[in-house]
Amino acid sequence: MDHRIIVQLDNVSKSYPEGSDNQRREIFNNLSLSIESGQSVSVVGPSGCGKSTLLNIIGSLDSPDSGKVEVCGSNISDLNDKALSALRADKIGFVFQSHHLLPQISVIENVMLPNLASSAPIEQNECSNRAIQLLESVGMADHANKMPSEISGGEMQRVAVVRSMINSPELLLADEPTGALDLARGEELISLLLHLCEGQKTALILVTHDIKTASRMQRNLAFEGTGIVEV
Ligand code: ADP
Ligand code: MG
């Protein structure tokens, strides 16, 4: 078993300005956290507690006020914009509540799109084969040449999951990916996420409101005040 550390947070603090006169709201204070390759981890907590902020910091879309953030062996604060873009494109997959598929291009073109952002893109044919294989694994191969408007919301979300995996990320960040789906479609999507991540040894951090969904992950984290506890 590979026990490489994929995410390491050391004493990370984050606050946002709130109201007038230089007031700040503390989102988390001296948060430390370590996640290994292939681990699945849920994050729960009430709305507004900082779940998306945490994912954004881990995904280098936001920066902490203080503390160290290491992702896939790189200290985020050491990286310039170009290196950060490469880290995000090559090593990290993102899935959000909304699918963010581009409406003007087909399902398979959407899936292949992140390959263009990769710092080491694979050849077009190979990428297309990989996209088909991934679509197949979520039961969407028959829809490869459809436009996003021609498939259902649940299907779009499955495509978004596949797109997030096209560059074989080491880390997948999923922010309430089932938030817009009904219960059955949601459970199915989580199964697909877990299956894909297990197959590629991708670490998964899943933010969810749903305790039952959370319990399907190997580790369960919950926000408590300005900290996080393992539950
Ligand atoms: P969650 O995802 O748990 O619902 P968020 O991480 O989105 O919570 O937000 C945590 C808190 O930080 C909220 O009170 C939110 O209003 C605030 N917040 C988030 N992003 C910003 C920002 N860019 N500027 C100011 N406040 C923010
Ligand atoms: Mg959120």
Side-chain angles (χ1 to χ4, degrees):
M1 180 70 190
D2 175 11
H3 290 297
R4 262 176 329 125
I5 302 290
I6 296 297
V7 174
Q8 177 77 47
L9 305 186
D10 288 321
N11 296 310
V12 169
S13 298
K14 180 71 180 175
S15 61
Y16 283 119
E18 183 178 61
S20 46
D21 7 286
N22 294 335
Q23 301 251 54
R24 296 188 74 84
R25 161 149 186 242
E26 198 171 52
I27 310 293
F28 29 84
N29 182 21
N30 287 330
L31 189 90
S32 295
L33 175 66
S34 172
I35 294 171
E36 290 178 5
S37 64
Q39 267 185 348
S40 59
V41 182
S42 66
V43 178
V44 297
S47 188
C49 71
K51 302 181 296 297
S52 295
T53 302
L54 176 68
L55 246 56
N56 290 343
I57 285 176
I58 294 173
S60 77
L61 299 170
D62 196 352
S63 41
D65 301 337
S66 60
K68 190 170 87 173
V69 180
E70 250 182 50
V71 178
C72 302
S74 298
N75 186 337
I76 297 282
S77 64
D78 290 344
L79 303 180
N80 60 22
D81 283 350
K82 192 170 165 222
L84 276 178
S85 300
L87 175 76
R88 283 194 293 265
D90 299 345
K91 305 279 179 70
I92 309 176
F94 295 89
V95 185
F96 302 97
Q97 182 168 336
S98 164
H99 53 79
H100 297 294
L101 296 182
L102 293 184
Q104 322 77 324
I105 58 176
S106 68
V107 162
I108 188 165
E109 287 167 336
N110 266 284
V111 171
M112 291 166 67
L113 204 55
N115 182 49
L116 296 179
S118 163
S119 60
I122 57 174
E123 192 265 320
Q124 189 80 353
N125 268 337
E126 190 187 339
C127 184
S128 156
N129 288 339
R130 181 168 159 71
I132 287 286
Q133 230 172 44
L134 280 167
L135 284 167
E136 186 109 59
S137 72
V138 301
M140 289 294 294
D142 289 348
H143 300 293
N145 294 311
K146 289 190 176 166
M147 300 303 279
S149 60
E150 298 174 306
I151 60 177
S152 72
E155 289 171 337
M156 288 187 203
Q157 202 58 337
R158 275 191 264 164
V159 175
V161 164
V162 162
R163 177 187 54 187
S164 75
M165 298 298 281
I166 192 77
N167 290 346
S168 307
E170 294 191 39
L171 172 65
L172 184 62
L173 301 174
D175 196 350
E176 307 200 42
T178 62
L181 303 180
D182 64 43
L183 193 65
R185 294 290 92 74
E187 286 184 359
E188 195 177 86
L189 190 88
I190 297 298
S191 300
L192 295 173
L193 266 177
L194 283 170
H195 177 74
L196 286 172
C197 287
E198 270 163 29
Q200 302 194 16
K201 304 276 177 292
T202 300
L204 169 65
I205 308 181
L206 175 93
V207 166
T208 176
H209 268 110
D210 182 50
I211 300 296
K212 200 169 144 220
T213 299
S215 69
R216 296 179 65 186
M217 306 297 129
Q218 291 164 344
R219 286 174 65 189
N220 305 111
L221 306 176
F223 269 85
E224 209 175 77
T226 56
I228 267 189
V229 292
E230 195 110 19
V231 289

